[in-house]
Amino acid sequence: MTRQAFSERDICTKFITPAIEQAGWNIHTQVREEYPVSDGRITVRGRMHHRAHPRRADYVLSFQKNQPIAVIEAKDAKHSLGDGMQQAQAYAEKLDVPFAISSNGSGFLFSDPHRLVFDQAETNLALDQLPGPDALWHGYRRWKGLSEETRPVVEQPFYDDGSGRTPRYYQMVAVNRTVEAIAKGQDRLLLVMATGTGKTYTAFQLIWRLWKAGRKQRILFLADRNVLVDQTKSGDFKPFGAAMTKISKRQIEKSHEIYLSLYQAVTGSEEEKNIYKQFSPDFFDLVVIDECHRGSAAEDSAWRAILDYFSGATHIGLTATPKETTEVSNIHYFGEPIYTYSLKQGIDDGYLAPYKVIRVDLDRDLQGWRPSDGQTDIHGEVIEDRIYNQRDFDRHLILTQRTELVARTVTDYLTQTDPMQKTIVFCENIDHAERMRQALINLNPQHVAKNRKYVMRITGDELEGKAELDHFIDPEEPYPVIAVTSKLMTTGVDAKTCKLIVLDQRIQSMTEFKQIIGRGTRIDAEHNKFWFTILDFRKATELFADPAFDGEPEKVYVPGQGDPLLPDDDDDAEDSGDGNAPADEDDESPNDPALPPEGGWEDDEDGGIGEPPKRYVVDDVTVAVIGRRVQYLGPDGKLITEELTDYTRKTVRAHYATLKDFLRRWEASDRKQAVLDELAEQGVFWEDLTSEVEKTLGDTPDPFDAIVHIVYGQPALTRRQRAAKARQSDYFTRYEGQARAVLDALLDKYADNGVATIEDTKVLKLAPLDRLGTPVELAKAFGGKAGYREAVRALEETLYDDAATAG
């Protein structure tokens, strides 16, 4: 065979791999083939999802495991030598390496833009001229500015437990960049990694390498939640073994090397409580601050006091959301991020779950409410005369019917999708969370009867609820299903199976918004969690339009009253005052006076901190859902808002300008579902359209009818009407016996479930068709598979025979 006849895999096996080995690379320890740089982005279509093909670099050459130097992209001999170069350069950029190489088996094209090895940017090489590991490692160190003195630290291997687990590419880059920067003497570093991308595992690997190299011998890891410290100790940090300890109950042992601590456990408002001062200022070589946006960079925060005390140590901040305000700046303290892996990158790579948004606008929220003269609440208190709006509800004014409407909407969504999907409901404060818990329990009696923990309030003041947090985040534990919270679950809660996030909390902080969304971004394929939904009652998702947001939703849908759910400065938007964590997060000292209560104190009129104001409770004000819009990303990347029907008309007409154009495509399609899928790819969610038309018809229409009615103004029929009309045609006179019975059953299936059901041959295995015979026997009634398919096609023609007349 000639080289031209070989496949790409043949070229790799017969030419490229031998050339790599000949150059001195160890195939087992220094070469990775099919190296993953993407799992394939997940796209949501209706209630289904599709994962794009994963992306793999053909070869990654490394100095040692997880320390890449070069990428090779292979092509077959029908391609030129450089056809893979741009792809190799894109992979090299992602992997943070200087060398990109392309090959078609006849030689190599070597990209060296910094001229670290060769004298020109791109060099043609024969197969036997590929540089070896020493030459490329030397060039890599020149590129990174790594002196000979840094080698003991930089060349310290990653931890390997022998199980085959390796860091993802971005975790590897984050660790390598951080270790290299510290080896060069940098002592303030910031790592920004989106929630769900493995910050703790990344922290473990970089600490392990620095510790094993002897560069950092005593390390303090600080977190702001007790559950995070415990998870870290028993999880990713477990290999540290006896060298590690957790600081608890304000006891200090100085015989360990790795210290884990809840920051509240080592600090307090009174000098004698600051037990971190029992350590000498130079005791720690390295301090790692998890969730450092929680206030460590504020000049007067408790965290900052710890950092100032151990100022001689290297400080690494970890966060998904660096905080940048006039008072608090992570970047001012730590410097520009050494590496950033954003929510958008995680979604694009398929490592994070995408999400859809259903935004529910309530009339009182948008229009406000004003009491009548002298009106009193249910306690007989005269309500202050002013206009109350969204920022007041559940803080200064409680509309009980509003709480019930939100709870009913959440219940309706769960009923229509999956009542057992893990759900987090974010409320304004603890009182609001308790009222929401009661409302949800009363609306879900059948589920609560099966298990009283179906709905649980998980807030810092409620010990039984907090005790259920571990069960909620455990994928194997079915209960609790709905967790109602305020602030406790905004950060650090690894709820992999959470499929619904409900926002009934006013959020004006981008930091808090990203943290809350992060509760749902983890993928859990084992439990069929590939995407999630945000149900927004407080217009929080308007933050998608903020330039600082970097992970746009798949879809934003805003239903109005009666519509189906499917298809000002804030006075405490941020952490109160000093940026410290709320008291419910302080498992060591819940009454620490230095910390505000969960949800923050109310601001008084002078802007100072005062007692919470009186809350008025009103139970006779009706609340309703209003408005319906769909939001989508325009060509410029900005969100565009339109009425659902207007958007549908414009989108469909862009592909089918006239009804005849649409009917021509519909009639020509062997599978009608394929046409609907094509429209879904363009953002036309026909499930929402059928629900819209159903309100007029009183029964479920065919998606075909929904489209021709909304887009082209044609009369619509329900599926049952189409089925009844088909039965009256002469189509059925062509068949008798078993074949006639099959077609009758298919028509019933169409009336119940739609055209996609009868187009799938699996329908022959479902009741009642399974009682008529096996799929093979039923196909024989039509003369075989081809006859059966032709009969179904003719049945569809009969169902839609009015289409040609309409056109």
Side-chain angles (χ1 to χ4, degrees):
M1 292 177 65
T2 64
R3 193 191 302 261
Q4 293 289 326
F6 288 137
S7 67
E8 181 181 302
R9 185 64 351 211
D10 289 332
I11 292 292
C12 289
T13 303
K14 298 177 184 298
F15 301 101
I16 299 178
T17 299
I20 292 172
E21 286 188 283
Q22 183 182 344
W25 295 89
N26 186 312
I27 290 295
H28 301 292
T29 62
Q30 294 181 309
V31 180
R32 284 280 304 275
E33 295 188 54
E34 297 292 313
Y35 184 88
V37 293
S38 162
D39 259 8
R41 179 181 175 125
I42 296 170
T43 303
V44 181
R45 296 297 178 221
R47 301 185 200 179
M48 307 298 290
H49 74 276
H50 167 72
R51 190 187 275 278
H53 291 296
R55 303 195 70 187
R56 304 282 187 262
D58 289 325
Y59 294 88
V60 172
L61 308 183
S62 300
F63 169 71
Q64 61 183 359
K65 192 174 181 180
N66 298 313
Q67 289 188 277
I69 312 173
V71 174
I72 301 178
E73 186 61 27
K75 298 295 179 184
D76 62 35
K78 299 183 182 69
H79 292 79
S80 70
L81 190 65
D83 273 358
M85 179 53 71
Q86 292 186 156
Q87 192 173 352
Q89 288 172 330
Y91 291 152
E93 185 176 340
K94 291 187 82 167
L95 296 178
D96 197 31
V97 300
F99 307 118
I101 306 168
S102 175
S103 178
N104 63 357
S106 66
F108 296 103
L109 180 63
F110 191 99
S111 173
D112 182 8
H114 305 285
R115 295 170 174 79
L116 302 168
V117 177
F118 295 101
D119 293 331
Q120 56 189 15
E122 291 192 357
T123 304
N124 283 298
L125 302 173
L127 282 175
D128 60 358
Q129 292 179 316
L130 182 70
D134 290 340
L136 293 195
W137 180 239
H138 179 73
Y140 176 89
R141 288 194 293 111
R142 283 181 56 204
W143 181 56
K144 289 283 192 171
L146 299 169
S147 66
E148 193 69 22
E149 291 72 27
T150 66
R151 292 188 67 173
V153 179
V154 172
E155 295 179 6
Q156 177 63 43
F158 281 64
Y159 173 77
D160 187 347
D161 64 1
S163 68
R165 179 185 183 185
T166 58
R168 289 174 175 168
Y169 84 86
Y170 60 85
Q171 295 170 334
M172 179 184 67
V173 173
V175 172
N176 286 333
R177 279 197 187 180
T178 305
V179 170
E180 290 163 0
I182 291 174
K184 291 190 291 184
Q186 190 170 334
D187 59 7
R188 299 290 182 268
L189 303 101
L190 180 63
L191 266 178
V192 178
M193 296 174 66
T195 300
T197 56
K199 289 192 299 295
T200 307
Y201 177 67
T202 302
F204 161 73
Q205 286 286 5
L206 69 89
I207 291 172
W208 177 271
R209 290 180 63 193
L210 293 168
W211 180 57
K212 281 295 185 180
R215 183 61 176 260
K216 304 297 178 185
Q217 295 181 326
R218 291 195 183 100
I219 294 118
L220 174 63
F221 182 88
L222 289 169
D224 71 335
R225 295 269 171 93
N226 207 34
V227 64
L228 296 183
V229 176
D230 292 339
Q231 285 176 355
T232 300
K233 186 172 185 289
S234 61
D236 289 325
F237 278 38
K238 189 176 182 179
F240 286 123
M244 173 177 56
T245 187
K246 174 187 174 183
I247 299 174
S248 60
K249 303 194 182 302
R250 304 193 176 277
Q251 300 298 314
I252 296 297
E253 292 184 24
K254 299 181 181 179
S255 60
H256 297 276
E257 296 173 79
I258 312 294
Y259 293 78
L260 309 182
S261 178
L262 187 72
Y263 87 89
Q264 296 95 327
V266 294
T267 189
S269 60
E270 301 172 25
E271 188 66 21
E272 62 268 24
K273 290 185 178 179
N274 292 329
I275 65 165
Y276 65 87
K277 293 186 178 179
Q278 295 180 34
F279 295 105
S280 63
D282 61 353
F283 185 85
F284 292 111
D285 305 307
L286 173 65
V287 180
V288 179
I289 309 96
D290 193 22
E291 306 291 0
C292 68
H293 66 278
R294 304 275 313 167
S296 59
E299 296 288 344
D300 58 349
S301 75
W303 288 45
R304 182 61 176 269
I306 301 174
L307 301 187
D308 288 344
Y309 184 75
F310 298 116
S311 60
T314 296
H315 297 167
I316 301 175
L318 305 175
T319 183
T321 52
K323 183 178 291 185
E324 296 302 312
T325 69
T326 55
E327 295 82 20
V328 179
S329 172
N330 289 124
I331 290 175
H332 175 73
Y333 183 81
F334 292 103
E336 291 291 333
I338 194 75
Y339 183 66
T340 297
Y341 189 71
S342 68
L343 175 65
K344 184 179 187 301
Q345 288 172 289
I347 293 174
D348 286 344
D349 283 340
Y351 296 124
L352 294 180
Y355 52 95
K356 295 195 301 182
V357 175
I358 300 171
R359 210 185 84 196
V360 181
D361 290 339
L362 306 180
D363 56 356
R364 301 298 179 182
D365 289 26
L366 301 186
Q367 299 165 1
W369 177 79
R370 183 177 182 180
S372 58
D373 185 30
Q375 183 173 349
T376 59
D377 73 352
I378 63 171
H379 302 300
E381 296 285 344
V382 177
I383 303 171
E384 179 187 351
D385 183 18
R386 65 179 179 87
I387 295 176
Y388 294 84
N389 55 31
Q390 191 180 71
R391 66 180 288 176
D392 295 305
F393 296 142
D394 299 300
R395 296 171 55 79
H396 307 115
L397 178 70
I398 295 169
L399 300 179
T400 57
Q401 292 192 34
R402 186 190 182 284
T403 305
E404 291 167 4
L405 177 58
V406 171
R408 187 164 59 251
T409 306
V410 173
T411 300
D412 288 345
Y413 177 85
L414 292 173
T415 301
Q416 293 173 44
T417 53
D418 175 12
M420 295 302 292
Q421 62 188 295
K422 292 293 179 95
T423 299
I424 305 176
V425 183
F426 287 96
C427 298
E428 282 287 340
N429 45 52
I430 291 175
D431 173 70
H432 182 203
E434 173 56 23
R435 288 184 286 105
M436 186 63 68
R437 182 193 70 84
Q438 294 176 29
L440 286 166
I441 282 178
N442 288 333
L443 288 166
N444 292 274
Q446 71 279 28
H447 298 299
V448 175
K450 290 180 182 177
N451 192 307
R452 68 175 182 84
K453 296 179 180 179
Y454 181 75
V455 184
M456 291 292 291
R457 172 164 66 89
I458 301 179
T459 51
D461 70 317
E462 218 281 322
L463 293 179
E464 185 175 357
K466 284 177 70 175
E468 291 298 323
L469 180 57
D470 285 346
H471 293 146
F472 179 79
I473 65 179
D474 186 346
E476 303 303 325
E477 290 282 350
Y479 298 96
V481 174
I482 304 175
V484 185
T485 190
S486 170
K487 298 287 186 181
L488 183 61
M489 299 175 71
T490 56
T491 66
V493 176
D494 187 3
K496 290 179 66 175
T497 55
C498 177
K499 292 185 178 181
L500 177 64
I501 291 176
V502 179
L503 301 179
D504 198 22
Q505 177 187 113
R506 184 170 164 80
I507 304 168
Q508 296 294 288
S509 158
M510 182 61 72
T511 297
E512 187 173 12
F513 181 54
K514 284 186 178 181
Q515 288 289 338
I516 287 175
I517 286 178
R519 299 315 101 212
T521 53
R522 289 169 175 83
I523 293 171
D524 189 346
E526 182 181 351
H527 297 89
N528 198 35
K529 159 70 184 301
F530 294 96
W531 57 279
F532 67 105
T533 301
I534 299 173
L535 192 54
D536 177 20
F537 293 90
R538 300 272 181 163
K539 300 173 70 175
T541 49
E542 289 184 347
L543 288 168
F544 290 142
D546 192 306
F549 191 75
D550 61 4
E552 67 274 4
E554 291 282 300
K555 177 192 177 188
V556 182
Y557 163 57
V558 187
Q561 186 173 14
D563 288 340
L565 280 175
L566 296 174
D568 333 355
D569 297 328
D570 189 45
D571 47 12
D572 72 340
E574 296 277 4
D575 303 335
S576 298
D578 65 0
N580 287 325
D584 66 279
E585 297 162 8
D586 182 356
D587 294 284
E588 301 292 336
S589 53
N591 297 314
D592 191 334
L595 302 172
E598 182 180 279
W601 285 305
E602 304 284 350
D603 291 352
D604 62 26
E605 293 181 358
D606 298 324
I609 300 299
E611 290 296 319
K614 184 178 298 181
R615 288 193 180 109
Y616 303 109
V617 182
V618 182
D619 63 359
D620 58 354
V621 175
T622 58
V623 183
V625 174
I626 61 173
R628 179 177 179 141
R629 299 186 302 282
V630 63
Q631 288 183 287
Y632 62 97
L633 286 172
D636 58 358
K638 295 182 178 179
L639 284 171
I640 299 171
T641 302
E642 288 188 274
E643 293 293 326
L644 176 65
T645 52
D646 291 342
Y647 171 68
T648 301
R649 289 189 196 100
K650 186 176 75 173
T651 303
V652 174
R653 284 183 180 273
H655 292 82
Y656 309 109
T658 66
L659 176 59
K660 270 189 177 176
D661 294 332
F662 176 72
L663 294 179
R664 192 178 299 118
R665 174 72 181 93
W666 184 263
E667 292 166 7
S669 176
D670 290 335
R671 288 183 62 253
K672 309 307 180 188
Q673 185 62 35
V675 181
L676 302 176
D677 291 342
E678 288 172 5
L679 292 175
E681 289 285 338
Q682 303 303 318
V684 176
F685 293 86
W686 50 266
E687 287 178 326
D688 296 333
L689 299 177
T690 54
S691 298
E692 176 82 8
V693 178
E694 183 177 345
K695 291 184 294 183
T696 303
L697 297 179
D699 198 358
T700 306
D702 193 288
F704 168 86
D705 287 279
I707 292 168
V708 299
H709 176 68
I710 288 175
V711 179
Y712 304 107
Q714 296 297 310
L717 298 177
T718 68
R719 291 199 302 255
R720 297 191 188 283
Q721 287 173 329
R722 285 199 174 277
K725 184 172 63 68
R727 279 201 168 89
Q728 295 170 5
S729 71
D730 61 0
Y731 167 75
F732 281 88
T733 61
R734 308 177 207 171
Y735 302 95
E736 58 184 21
Q738 190 179 38
R740 173 65 182 264
V742 169
L743 293 173
D744 271 327
L746 287 178
L747 208 52
D748 288 337
K749 286 291 185 184
Y750 164 80
D752 290 337
N753 302 304
V755 70
T757 302
I758 66 173
E759 290 181 336
D760 189 341
T761 55
K762 291 179 181 177
V763 71
L764 296 177
K765 298 179 181 180
L766 303 178
L769 288 106
D770 61 343
R771 295 195 291 270
L772 299 176
T774 66
V776 173
E777 291 170 343
L778 298 183
K780 282 183 179 178
F782 296 89
K785 287 183 180 179
Y788 172 75
R789 290 195 186 98
E790 175 58 27
V792 172
R793 188 194 63 78
L795 177 59
E796 289 183 339
E797 284 184 1
T798 304
L799 283 168
Y800 301 109
D801 66 356
D802 59 328
T805 306

